[in-house]
Amino acid sequence: MELDLLGDRQRTHHCGELRPSHAGQKVFLAGWVDRRRDLGNLIFLDLRDHTGIVQVVLNPAVSREAHDQGEQVRGEYVVGVEGEVVVRKNETVNPQISTGEVEIQATRLLLLNEAKTPPFPLDDVARTSEEARLRYRYVDLRRARMQRNLRLRHEASLVVRQHMSEHGFIEIETPFLTRSTPEGARDYLVPSRLRPGHFYALPQSPQLFKQLLMIGGFNRYFQLVRCFRDEDLRADRQPEFTQIDVEMAFPRREELFDIIERLMEKLFALAGVKFARPFPRLTYAEAMERYGSDKPHTGVGLEWTRLELPESASGALKAAPSVKVLRAPEGKHFSRSQLDKLQDLAKASGAGWFSYVKTAGEGFQSPLAKTVGESAVASLARAAGMTAGEILLLIGSKSDGPSTINARHLDEASDVLRRELAGRLRPTPRGAWNFVWVVDFPMFEYDEKERRFTAMHHPFTSPREEDLPKLETDPAAVKARAYDLVLNGQEIGGGSIRMHRRDIQQRVFKALGLTGEKARERFGFFMDALEYGAPPHGGIALGWDRIIALMAGESNIREVIAFPKTASAVDLMCDAPAIVDPEQLDELGIQIKKD
RNA sequence: GGGGACGUAGUUCAGCUGGUUAGAACGCAUGCCUGUCACGCAUGAGGUCGCGGGUUCGAGUCCCGUCGUCCCCGCCA
């Protein structure tokens, strides 16, 4: 097929912008053939570009040559169209597209490139396997959904830069080739050619650099930055992902929260979403007690409360006197088998026992009645404040074993049950945007496998000042000045006020089991920096891909990333990772182990 | 590392209890068609049933292994 050259021609308009007001204008358009309708002596082309679709008419009475060219054209061919904008007759208007009142009478059709038949349909309704979409991502990106999502992402990044700049934050780039640090996620490593046997690590986040920028006197920093973590993937986790990284000197937590809340307000306005500020605050302890989760979907309702069992009941049930109870509506819809399933879920996630009370007419019905009697059940139901039609779920912890672990399992069970109920009773409310700040996280959690404390947030998070004395005596009780931002049950950001004093940083390292020597080896440069006038500072990092996905109504962050990887961290399009030439390995002094 | 789902035409899928030549829709090709817009009509091409092994007279179907994709747990400060 003979192709035409674009030459010096320039588009006069884009497809999606043509309106009756353009009638009579001579235009030159270019784009892809979305569809061809060949009626024999009359051919219609739907011409598509990034702005939309416009209908082109190839009429031999207007141009025999253009019509002849049109016969060769197929879907996804790249063409240029010279012609005139004409208003369509009333009966031929297409109200489904924005340009439906006009069409282009083509005087010339340039064939700029041919195209193989696409590997899958490009219309937005057709479902296609993600595997095919990722393999031919460059084709998939032409689809309206990806065009829409990536444009939204661009608009959102403009909002971020504008907003942060208005609040005195400046964007500074930090290195991608840096050094591996212990703690946290597995690093992606990059071998050094100039120092064989040595490796750079790609940053899990620019944590230390942004703190060093504060020490460097920049006052306020932000960055839309790529981060890398070599861990197993999920729908909301990619091996490389983007954060809005934020840090400020002399921070007041409430000011930071306000800046971020206003940012969220502006961002979600792009998606036409409004919500109230300030966002509610919830301590970690409260969140665990009421929802069993440190990232609760607060919009669902369904909160757990504590109920003290009457002494007689506690004895008869051989249960802890304090149980968690949850009142759910529409109790009559819970069949015996569904309740059995809830019981299985509760037990599987570590609850010691599970029971329920249903309302039945004036009274109550419960398997507990057999053990403790009708009247005890009734008083229990009244104590929980049950009203007609509700069902009351009760869970208690195991009575043997370490009580802290049992308590954690009970929280876990309350989270699992609550999410199960939410899924059944109140599928995520549409149009509800439930932001919540979760604050006062524990500083450390105990790692059973490694038999030591690890930082719950990260090892640069400052403990609350009043907890400093407990660093050595009772690490488990130390609360951190850390916070998470949660939206509809998803963690979309987290941060903390950092340590700016070397002495405290050293005590925290010690609590983490990092000996002086090891700390010096890994973090020596940073410990030194703390000694040269480090100001109080703190910040936050927000999960950019997750935020865009929520704004775009996508449940998978791959839908808002141009070239994402699969769940096994493979790029299906370019087939990465891949084997490299032996010479390349040789230069790096690397030998692959055979097993 | 563990669990679950899936893998059949270019795409999305059907294919029952193992049985003759593996189907549908869309797409694609060819022809006809001057007002279509998911154009229509007619004809046609298109299959390593992911891959390897096994059971069987016979495997898309059953078994074992393996690869790939998706979801979840562990993991991800």
Side-chain angles (χ1 to χ4, degrees), chain A residues 273-295:
Chain A
V273 172
K274 288 197 177 95
F275 38 74
R277 275 191 298 112
F279 300 160
R281 318 286 153 87
L282 202 56
T283 67
Y284 173 87
E286 267 179 282
M288 295 309 287
E289 180 67 14
R290 284 159 63 184
Y291 307 102
S293 165
D294 62 358
K295 45 174 193 243

Side-chain angles (χ1 to χ4, degrees), chain A residues 397-437:
Chain A
S397 45
K398 287 180 183 156
S399 45
D400 54 343
S403 63
T404 52
I405 292 178
N406 286 343
R408 203 188 309 150
H409 283 156
L410 188 63
D411 287 337
E412 162 118 29
S414 58
D415 179 37
V416 168
L417 289 186
R418 181 171 175 273
R419 279 188 289 142
E420 171 70 19
L421 291 176
R424 191 178 305 163
L425 298 176
R426 309 190 180 167
T428 312
R430 278 209 168 282
W433 299 89
N434 298 102
F435 284 93
V436 58
W437 290 104

Side-chain angles (χ1 to χ4, degrees), chain A residues 315-336:
Chain A
L317 293 166
K318 296 188 179 61
S322 167
V323 298
K324 284 180 104 168
V325 299
L326 180 148
R327 282 166 27 214
E330 298 167 60
K332 59 174 179 296
H333 295 311
F334 286 85
S335 67
R336 182 60 199 265

Side-chain angles (χ1 to χ4, degrees), chain A residues 48 120 122 133 136-148 150-151 558-559 561-564 573:
Chain A
R48 185 192 70 234
F120 45 81
L122 294 196
R133 291 178 54 204
Y136 297 93
R137 189 58 154 184
Y138 41 86
V139 175
D140 185 49
L141 289 174
R142 286 183 207 154
R143 296 168 62 242
R145 178 191 196 174
M146 293 306 299
Q147 291 275 326
R148 196 168 53 234
L150 293 180
R151 280 165 203 288
R558 289 188 297 270
E559 300 298 341
I561 296 173
F563 300 104
M573 185 181 63

Side-chain angles (χ1 to χ4, degrees), chain A residues 73-111:
Chain A
V73 151
R74 294 294 181 269
E76 296 311 304
Y77 275 35
V78 185
V79 298
V81 175
E82 276 176 18
E84 185 183 330
V85 181
V86 237
V87 176
R88 296 198 201 182
K89 289 197 193 106
N90 268 341
E91 61 271 24
T92 62
V93 162
N94 181 356
Q96 288 169 323
I97 56 174
S98 62
T99 61
E101 289 181 80
V102 297
E103 61 192 10
I104 311 300
Q105 287 283 0
T107 50
R108 189 149 183 217
L109 183 68
L110 300 173
L111 296 184

Side-chain angles (χ1 to χ4, degrees), chain A residues 62-200:
Chain A
V62 175
S63 165
R64 161 64 57 188
E65 188 205 6
H67 181 269
D68 287 350
Q69 290 273 69
E71 302 211 299
Q72 303 186 59
V73 151
R74 294 294 181 269
E76 296 311 304
Y77 275 35
V78 185
V79 298
V81 175
E82 276 176 18
E84 185 183 330
V85 181
V86 237
V87 176
R88 296 198 201 182
K89 289 197 193 106
N90 268 341
E91 61 271 24
T92 62
V93 162
N94 181 356
Q96 288 169 323
I97 56 174
S98 62
T99 61
E101 289 181 80
V102 297
E103 61 192 10
I104 311 300
Q105 287 283 0
T107 50
R108 189 149 183 217
L109 183 68
L110 300 173
L111 296 184
L112 298 174
N113 210 347
E114 42 191 341
K116 284 177 149 177
T117 302
F120 45 81
L122 294 196
D123 53 287
D124 247 18
V125 264
R127 288 172 306 146
T128 302
S129 77
E130 238 196 307
E131 202 172 343
R133 291 178 54 204
L134 291 181
R135 201 171 298 281
Y136 297 93
R137 189 58 154 184
Y138 41 86
V139 175
D140 185 49
L141 289 174
R142 286 183 207 154
R143 296 168 62 242
R145 178 191 196 174
M146 293 306 299
Q147 291 275 326
R148 196 168 53 234
N149 288 352
L150 293 180
R151 280 165 203 288
L152 175 68
R153 187 173 178 133
H154 164 72
E155 295 296 330
S157 72
L158 293 184
V159 165
V160 170
R161 293 197 158 100
Q162 180 70 31
H163 178 82
M164 296 313 287
S165 184
E166 277 168 11
H167 284 86
F169 293 80
I170 64 168
E171 185 163 22
I172 303 177
E173 291 165 277
T174 51
F176 279 179
L177 295 176
T178 175
R179 67 170 294 154
S180 178
T181 53
E183 307 284 315
R186 202 173 289 117
D187 288 315
Y188 275 102
L189 297 177
V190 179
S192 160
R193 175 179 59 85
L194 297 174
R195 289 178 74 180
H198 291 61
F199 294 84
Y200 300 98

